[in-house]
Amino acid sequence: MNKFTIIAGPCSIENEKQINKTTTFLAKNNIEYVRGGAFKPRTSPESFQGLGEDGIKLLTTAAKKNNQKSVSEIMNSSDLELFRDVDVLQVGARNMQNFELLKVLAKQEKPVLLKRGMACNVEEVIAATKYLTTDGKTNIVICERGIRTFENSTRFTLDLNSVLVLKKMTKFNVIVDPSHAAGDSEYVIPLALAAKAVGADGIIVEVHPDSKNALSDNNQQLSFEMFENLLEKLDKISV
Ligand code: PEP
Ligand code: MN
């Protein structure tokens, strides 16, 4: 990554129309990396769990049509074969310290996007990266996505300090997820701008064609219009 990288897409892959509409929209805006969850780490087992293997197929097919790269969360190392066409393997906040998963991902070639655990300090994030680098892996991206603090007016507390510390202490690119940090689409644009201003290497942001009716995280996903507004504003920040 030597420019500001934007990874965008829905929280969850829901159906073919939703993902195709999103990837086409993102391609028109020159977005190269498309995110979408197929295996979802939901707090409640009653919530939508994702489309699993079918979701992965929908995402990778839609991304390939537009020459885009796909990013999706892997929760279980036994699913690795299902992720054969996924370009970037995401380890979610809830699995940052799933060391057995990290050990398996260390032995494969694809880039790993490691999200900070919501209750993990920077030292623990760095320790987790060491599980990935034991066999010489270097294609790792760390993501600050907010931590749990006493503050509950937003979903999590975005720790932009960590971007500075992680960039100083590691050789990895560090990106920011303003969507999960804020939990509210209204706050996502300013936090994304702050991430760029502080020197992050990119952002991962949730975008949905009909965000209010999304099957997961419907409160925090940007509409297409908001996303275009974000791009315009990001262009004006130079670091
Ligand atoms: C996600 O990016 O889909 C996600 C679940 O985020 P996190 O692991 O940061 O909660
Ligand atoms: Mn989400």
Side-chain angles (χ1 to χ4, degrees):
M1 284 188 198
N2 30 31
K3 56 175 181 108
F4 190 75
T5 300
I6 299 172
I7 305 170
C11 179
S12 301
I13 302 141
E14 298 173 3
N15 54 62
E16 191 173 5
K17 193 169 164 207
Q18 172 238 21
I19 196 67
N20 285 345
K21 222 170 157 178
T22 310
T23 51
T24 307
F25 164 74
L26 293 172
K28 264 193 228 134
N29 284 287
N30 300 315
I31 303 297
E32 199 189 337
Y33 290 89
V34 183
R35 64 149 289 151
F39 294 87
K40 298 299 300 177
R42 305 306 302 282
T43 301
S44 165
E46 283 153 20
S47 303
F48 176 60
Q49 300 289 308
L51 297 181
E53 185 174 2
D54 291 344
I56 295 288
K57 280 193 195 125
L58 291 176
L59 173 69
T60 53
T61 309
K64 269 187 201 143
K65 263 188 218 155
N66 301 303
N67 287 319
Q68 291 160 310
K69 295 199 164 67
S70 53
V71 182
S72 199
E73 175 168 354
I74 181 162
M75 292 205 289
N76 193 327
S77 58
S78 63
D79 291 337
L80 199 54
E81 178 53 21
L82 301 179
F83 281 71
R84 60 191 171 273
D85 295 327
V86 174
D87 296 290
V88 179
L89 302 177
Q90 177 177 323
V91 175
R94 290 157 189 80
N95 271 316
M96 190 203 84
Q97 290 188 310
N98 180 342
F99 302 120
E100 295 306 313
L101 174 62
L102 299 182
K103 282 181 199 168
V104 173
L105 297 183
K107 294 191 191 311
Q108 57 77 52
E109 302 294 316
K110 291 181 181 176
V112 171
L113 169 57
L114 182 69
K115 298 190 83 175
R116 179 182 183 178
M118 63 187 79
C120 293
N121 64 25
V122 167
E123 196 182 341
E124 289 162 331
V125 178
I126 294 171
T129 65
K130 291 188 178 153
Y131 275 93
L132 292 168
T133 56
T134 41
D135 293 322
K137 187 171 189 60
T138 56
N139 50 354
I140 297 161
V141 177
I142 304 174
C143 177
E144 165 59 48
R145 48 77 74 207
I147 51 174
R148 184 156 278 166
T149 66
F150 56 81
E151 182 53 67
N152 56 13
S153 59
T154 48
R155 191 174 179 191
F156 294 95
T157 300
L158 183 60
D159 178 18
L160 287 178
N161 296 356
S162 81
V163 176
L164 301 172
V165 182
L166 287 165
K167 285 195 65 72
K168 183 175 167 181
M169 305 288 287
T170 76
K171 50 187 181 319
F172 306 119
N173 285 307
V174 180
I175 66 168
V176 168
D177 175 347
S179 305
H180 290 89
D184 187 333
S185 58
E186 195 183 324
Y187 302 139
V188 169
I189 294 178
L191 292 176
L193 300 177
K196 186 171 183 189
V198 89
D201 298 292
I203 49 170
I204 177 166
V205 61
E206 288 185 341
V207 186
H208 192 287
D210 179 17
S211 50
K212 290 291 156 267
N213 292 308
L215 298 182
S216 57
D217 287 349
N218 65 331
N219 203 44
Q220 71 193 32
Q221 306 202 52
L222 297 183
S223 65
F224 287 0
E225 194 185 344
M226 288 172 99
F227 183 75
E228 282 176 340
N229 188 243
L230 168 63
L231 293 183
E232 261 174 51
K233 289 184 165 156
L234 279 172
D235 258 354
K236 295 192 181 116
I237 295 182
S238 57
V239 279

